[in-house]
Amino acid sequence: MIRPGRTDRRLWLMLAAAGAASVGWLALTFGLVALTLEPGERDAALDLIGHRLALVGLTWGAGIAAIAYGLKRWFDVWVTPSVRLAEEAQILLRTDVVRQLAPGGNPETQALASLFNQLVEQRESLRREMDDKVHAAARRIEEEKSRLAALMSELTQSVVVCNMEGRILLYNPRARAQFRELLRSGEWAAEAGMLGLGRSIHALFDRKLVEHALENVRQRMRRGAVHPTAQFVTVTPGGQLLRVQLAPVRQAGAG
């Protein structure tokens, strides 16, 4: 990761490579020139150049400085902004951070930053839309539950609403009163006859009877029945007969 104010280490590697290449180029040039000279000329050339090696070193250093400046400018415009943009984009993708990417560098990188900002805004818009839909659905469920509870409270029959796993979701006062009466009469053990939200209906009725009734309802639904129901009769431990009618709670508009 490139922090602001720090130089990409690849720039130093490229400068080192450029320095080594220039030294090698100078050495090769001097070697080739030396091979074309006679021994006397070679000695004269060495005497002539030897006193001016400092000047050669200065020109070499100036050349390296120019290369370093050019590479630094190239990195600042073409490399570093792209790397930082990629790093910031990864942060936005992996977290819930919401912020605008600052465009910088060359025009292509600025265009990419603008596109990333548009994508982030679309993502946040979709997220807000989904949150609104979830909250609206939760409100509708609560409203439907409240209406169902109000309707059930007016019924004279005992009504218990369960999910597909048999967990009790809702029951009306008549059902609560009936099972309390069975508990007081001793026909059900307290741990088995307790009626409560989240408890299993199978603690009250035989699982096989409930599953058989469910299968009958499913078959009638497959045959297109408008109001599919199933009934079964069970016996309390005290010998009292209970007639149970099972019906699905269907979505509005479901066929």
Side-chain angles (χ1 to χ4, degrees), residues 157-161 205 210 213-214 217 220 227-234 242-248:
Q157 293 119 339
S158 300
V159 179
V160 180
V161 179
F205 302 117
V210 175
L214 278 173
V217 169
R220 292 173 184 175
H227 301 291
T229 61
Q231 297 183 8
F232 63 88
V233 177
T234 186
L242 287 179
R243 183 169 63 87
V244 180
Q245 183 177 18
L246 188 148

Side-chain angles (χ1 to χ4, degrees), residues 16 31 33-34 38 41 75 89 108 115 120 139 146 148 151 154 170 184 217 235 239:
V33 171
E38 297 295 332
E41 294 175 335
F75 263 74
E108 288 79 4
L115 288 175
V120 170
R139 286 194 299 269
S146 298
L148 181 59
L151 177 62
E154 302 297 328
L170 197 64
R184 281 196 296 268
V217 169
V235 182

Side-chain angles (χ1 to χ4, degrees), residues 16-146:
S22 62
V23 169
W25 178 79
L26 285 174
L28 179 62
T29 301
F30 284 134
L32 291 174
V33 171
L35 289 175
T36 62
L37 298 176
E38 297 295 332
E41 294 175 335
R42 188 180 304 129
D43 293 338
L46 287 175
D47 291 337
L48 183 63
I49 297 175
H51 300 291
R52 296 172 176 81
L53 285 178
L55 180 59
V56 175
L58 286 175
T59 56
W60 176 84
I64 290 298
I67 293 174
Y69 177 78
L71 285 175
K72 181 66 168 60
R73 292 293 300 166
W74 182 70
F75 263 74
D76 289 343
V77 175
W78 292 97
V79 179
T80 303
S82 300
V83 174
R84 287 178 180 165
L85 177 62
E87 292 172 349
E88 293 180 4
Q90 288 179 353
I91 293 174
L92 293 179
L93 290 175
R94 295 175 181 175
T95 65
D96 292 331
V97 174
V98 180
R99 68 184 181 197
Q100 291 285 311
L101 299 179
N106 57 81
E108 288 79 4
T109 304
Q110 295 179 19
L112 280 176
S114 178
L115 288 175
F116 272 121
N117 288 333
Q118 293 178 31
L119 290 174
V120 170
E121 179 59 32
Q122 289 181 2
R123 184 189 69 176
E124 292 309 309
S125 177
L126 288 174
R127 182 177 295 174
R128 289 191 295 268
E129 184 178 347
M130 290 301 298
D131 289 341
D132 292 341
K133 289 183 177 180
V134 169
H135 293 155
R139 286 194 299 269
R140 286 196 299 270
I141 291 174
E142 288 300 321
E143 292 171 358
E144 291 294 334
K145 187 176 179 180
S146 298

Side-chain angles (χ1 to χ4, degrees), residues 195-253:
L195 182 68
L197 299 180
R199 291 180 60 86
S200 176
I201 195 67
H202 300 126
L204 303 174
F205 302 117
D206 184 81
R207 179 184 293 270
K208 292 182 179 180
L209 291 175
V210 175
E211 291 180 349
H212 181 69
L214 278 173
E215 182 58 29
N216 288 337
V217 169
R218 293 190 186 100
Q219 290 179 1
R220 292 173 184 175
M221 290 177 66
R222 286 193 291 267
R223 288 196 294 265
V226 179
H227 301 291
T229 61
Q231 297 183 8
F232 63 88
V233 177
T234 186
V235 182
T236 68
Q240 182 178 352
L241 294 177
L242 287 179
R243 183 169 63 87
V244 180
Q245 183 177 18
L246 188 148
V249 178
R250 310 177 73 176
Q251 295 181 353

